[in-house]
Amino acid sequence: YAFSTENWKRPQEEVSTLMMLFESHADEILVRAKEKGIKVNLIASEPELLPKSTLNKLQHLAEQTEAYRCFTLNLCVSYGARSEIAGAAKKMAQAVAAGTIAADDITEQSLGAAMLTGGLPDPDLLIRTSEARLSNFLLWQLAYTEIQFVDKLWPEICQQDIRDAVYNYASRKRRFGK
């Protein structure tokens, strides 16, 4: 979760600096992604808010790594779950209005497929740093995700924190509502 739709409310200087960081690191990420076979997905519920140069860099990154399959990095930029859900609902409503589907054909599965993450598996584990809230992140997709809260800021996270979260996750019995 690199930049939320709510982050646009931050001071303009901070937002501009973050956009500059995305652009300056995109080439570095591309080199590493190619070396490691990493596919980068750009997930943006409101891409039109991004500066054109930032959007172009991030789209280029995603296009250049599209064929890789060793690992997938989902980069959420200008993303908000509520706007994603609204966009998926709008897409479904347009399909109903166009007559390509019936209203009764709208199911959890079809709505999930209309999400920006359609075709991707839902996360098994979310490691949330510094806050004990979801912050409008993947609200639909996190329905059965195990959440591990770590009381540290992201830059302070170390390998042991990740190991602890994974071990904790592995020890849980997932029931999916059963």
Side-chain angles (χ1 to χ4, degrees), residues 33-93:
K34 286 183 172 182
E35 288 172 356
K36 306 277 186 187
I38 299 170
K39 177 182 181 177
V40 179
N41 289 325
L42 173 61
I43 300 176
S45 60
E46 298 183 30
E48 69 280 0
L49 298 178
L50 289 164
K52 193 75 171 157
S53 59
T54 305
L55 180 59
N56 288 342
K57 274 277 197 185
L58 295 175
Q59 286 176 329
H60 178 74
L61 174 60
E63 290 164 4
Q64 291 296 307
T65 62
E66 194 170 18
Y68 297 124
R69 296 287 179 261
C70 290
F71 185 83
T72 302
L73 171 64
N74 295 313
L75 190 58
C76 298
V77 181
S78 194
Y79 171 84
R82 288 180 174 182
S83 63
E84 178 191 24
I85 293 168
K90 185 186 292 184
K91 191 185 300 183
M92 299 298 287

Side-chain angles (χ1 to χ4, degrees), residues 3 8 11-21 23 51 54:
F3 189 85
W8 290 112
Q12 182 57 45
E13 185 177 334
E14 182 180 347
V15 169
S16 295
T17 299
L18 290 169
M19 294 303 119
M20 186 179 66
L21 285 171
E23 290 184 38
T54 305

